[in-house]
Amino acid sequence: MSATSAPRHVEAFDHAAGSVAAGVPGGATGWQGTLLNIHIAPAASYEMEELAEAHCVAGRGIEGDRYFLGTGTYSPKPDTREVTLIEQEALDALARNDPPLQGGSIHLAPVDHRRNLTVRGVPLNHLVGRRFRVGEVILRGGRLNFPCKYLEELLGLPVYLPLYNRSGLNCGIERGGIIRPGDTITLLD
């Protein structure tokens, strides 16, 4: 895919999970989180690189990332994956072997988990079908991200089961802009 043609993304609230959740009141409220890290990779299986800031483009993703460029492993399968997030709390739990689903603790650095944004204090599982702000950018929670055997193969670690139900959130970008580590994350609706 050329750098000028856009990959085919599914709008977050058009995704089956996002469309159902958007019409149902609820979810966690009263929280405020923080963006800890930003990572992108130019193509499938490439090492993730950390950014000091990122330009998020509505309907596309993070400039320079594999899913912005259409060069990601799952790019041929249209889905909501303009931006992916994971909770630092899930990584901390893996390091504690909590719950004990593998032989011992697993230490995943933010550069390892293959998600774009590492956040703290953000209840990602409650943000399907919800709008929230990261700095000046507005995201729409489309669907939960599930761990895959591909990630296990890349890392050489048994992360599939320990990350089940806490592998992050796939989002669409409603309003683009610049994000930076340290940006505040808040619920909009």
Side-chain angles (χ1 to χ4, degrees):
M1 174 171 284
S2 75
T4 58
S5 64
R8 194 167 149 237
H9 289 288
V10 173
E11 205 291 315
F13 285 3
D14 288 341
H15 187 278
S19 65
V20 170
V24 177
T29 60
W31 54 268
Q32 179 174 299
T34 305
L35 174 59
L36 300 177
N37 305 94
I38 305 168
H39 289 90
I40 63 169
S45 303
Y46 278 55
E47 287 187 23
M48 301 291 280
E49 72 178 74
E50 188 165 5
L51 301 179
E53 69 176 32
H55 183 225
C56 298
V57 178
R60 288 286 303 267
I62 298 175
E63 280 187 357
D65 187 57
R66 63 207 182 276
Y67 290 110
F68 179 91
L69 300 169
T71 57
T73 299
Y74 301 107
S75 289
K77 299 177 182 181
D79 198 351
T80 301
R81 63 172 61 89
E82 293 171 24
V83 178
T84 57
L85 294 83
I86 193 167
E87 298 171 22
Q88 180 61 47
E89 292 85 348
L91 303 178
D92 294 343
L94 285 178
R96 291 190 311 268
N97 195 24
D98 177 21
L101 298 173
Q102 64 278 344
S105 63
I106 296 175
H107 296 276
L108 283 186
V111 72
D112 295 330
H113 55 64
R114 311 290 300 168
R115 305 295 179 257
N116 298 125
L117 309 181
T118 306
V119 301
R120 182 180 302 284
V122 182
L124 295 179
N125 285 17
H126 295 275
L127 296 182
V128 174
R130 305 289 178 253
R131 296 169 62 241
F132 59 101
R133 180 185 312 275
V134 179
E136 65 183 40
V137 172
I138 296 176
L139 300 180
R140 292 179 175 196
R143 74 164 176 90
L144 295 179
N145 197 325
F146 295 99
C148 60
K149 294 294 182 178
Y150 175 69
L151 181 60
E152 276 195 337
E153 291 170 15
L154 280 177
L155 298 175
L157 295 168
V159 295
Y160 180 80
L161 190 56
L163 282 177
Y164 201 80
N165 288 330
R166 55 183 182 179
S167 189
L169 179 67
N170 287 10
C171 296
I173 301 169
E174 178 178 308
R175 186 178 80 196
I178 303 295
I179 57 173
R180 294 174 184 87
D183 281 351
T184 299
I185 304 172
T186 56
L187 182 66
L188 294 176
D189 53 38

